Amino acid sequence: MNQLAIYGWNDKLDQLKQESTYNALPHGRVSVVHRTCYEVISENGQFQCELTGSMMYGRSDFELPCTGDWVIFQPFDENKGIIVDMLPRERTLYRKKNGTVADKQVIASYVDQAFIVQSLDDNFNVRRAERFMVQMQEENINAAWVLNKADLDFDRQEIEEQIKHIFRRIPVFFTSIRQPETILRLRESIPEGETVVFVGSSGVGKSSLVNALCGKSLLLASDISLSTGKGRHTSTRREMVLMDGSGVLIDTPGVREFGLAMDGVDSLEEVLDISDYAKACRFKDCKHINEPGCAVLEAVNSGLLDAKVYESYLKLRREAWHFFASEHEKRKKEKSFTKLVEEVKKRKANR
C-alpha cells in the first residue's frame, strides 16, 4: 500500500501527476509552509523544500503552494529538495484577503471536512459560522460546527434554538478536552485518509482539540490567561498533523475576519435554509427584497423564517456580489493588459 494513502494520495492524483512534465520525480504533500521553505511529506520521509525561480517569481501569492497541496520535487542531499511543479488544486478553502477588494488568500487545499471551531463563551457567533459555511459550500467542502469548552456554564436549550437552521444542514459537536467522550465522538467523524481543517478565532482551543484528538501534544497550546479567562492563541502557521488510524488534521491561525471570496451567490440560499421558500416565489429571479409574491418575505413575516437569518442572507449576498463584481473587473483588466502585451510583442517581431 502506498504510504501516502493515509495522507490522501489516490488514483486520481496519480493520473494528474502523469500529466506533468516532471512525472518521473517523487511527489509529496505540503505539511507546513514557512516564508520561503516548505515541509513536504513523501514516501521517503520529510523534505525541506524551496521553490524553483520560475515558480517563485512567475506566480501570484495565491498560486504558490499552501498547506495540503500536492507537489512534485527534485530531491538533493539527504532531506532537501526543490519543488518543480504543483498538482491542480481541489476543495480549496480560502477567504478574501484582508485590505483588498478581490484578492484571495489560501488557507488549505484538498480539504474533505472543515471544522468551524467556536467556544461557548462570548466567542459564540451564529452569523460568523454561517459565513464559514457559505464559503465551504462553494468549494464542496463538508462543514461541521464544533462548539468547544462545553464544560463552561451555558444554556444549551437557548444555543440550540439559535442554531436550529444550522442543525438541519451540518453536524454540530459540543466538545471539551475535559470530557473525553465528546472528543471521541469528534474523532469518530474523521475517516482514515480524510483531511480536516480547523478554522476559527484565536483562543477557542483549536490546538488543544488537535492534541486531544491525537492523544499527544503535537501543537503548542497556551495556558488560560488570568486576565481574560481564555486560552492564549499560539498557532502562527497552518500545520498538518497525522492522527493514528484516522485522518489528517490541519490547524490554522485564528482569524478575526473571514471575508467571502465567491464567484456567485447560488449557495447562500441553500446554506441559510431558505431555498425551499425561494422556490415558491412568484418570479424565478426574485431578489427577496420587495417583490410581489416573494415566499421568502412571507416566511419572515409569518415567523417561519428567522428574521436574523434573513438579514444575514442579505448581508452575505451583498458581500458576495461585491467580490464577484470586483473579481470580474480585475480579470477584465488583466485580460486587456495581456492582450496589449501580446500586441507590443507582435509589433516588435514585425520590425
Side-chain angles (χ1 to χ4, degrees), residues 1 100 120 196 296 309:
M1 180 182 171
T100 67
L120 287 158
V196 174
V296 172
V309 174

Side-chain angles (χ1 to χ4, degrees), residues 60-62 94-106 135 257-261 323 330:
S60 67
D61 288 347
F62 178 73
Y94 48 77
R95 64 170 178 162
K96 184 171 77 69
K97 197 171 182 180
N98 287 345
T100 67
V101 177
D103 288 333
K104 297 176 183 177
Q105 180 183 22
V106 188
Q135 191 68 60
E257 295 179 25
F258 190 85
L260 292 185
F323 178 85
K330 190 175 103 177

Side-chain angles (χ1 to χ4, degrees), residues 105-122:
Q105 180 183 22
V106 188
I107 295 173
S109 68
Y110 280 94
V111 176
D112 297 295
Q113 280 195 82
F115 285 169
I116 305 158
V117 186
Q118 292 186 358
S119 50
L120 287 158
D121 47 24
D122 57 6

Side-chain angles (χ1 to χ4, degrees), residues 269-319:
E269 290 180 1
E270 188 179 343
V271 168
L272 295 179
D273 213 24
I274 68 171
S275 53
D276 287 342
Y277 300 118
K279 287 172 190 171
C281 289
R282 187 187 300 173
F283 303 109
K284 281 188 176 180
D285 60 348
C286 184
K287 299 290 187 293
H288 319 309
I289 296 173
N290 53 15
E291 295 86 349
C294 175
V296 172
L297 286 174
E298 286 174 18
V300 174
N301 294 332
S302 65
L304 289 172
L305 178 62
D306 189 329
K308 288 182 180 177
V309 174
Y310 170 69
E311 287 165 14
S312 177
Y313 164 75
L314 292 180
K315 181 181 178 182
L316 293 176
R317 190 178 68 180
R318 280 194 299 270
E319 189 177 324

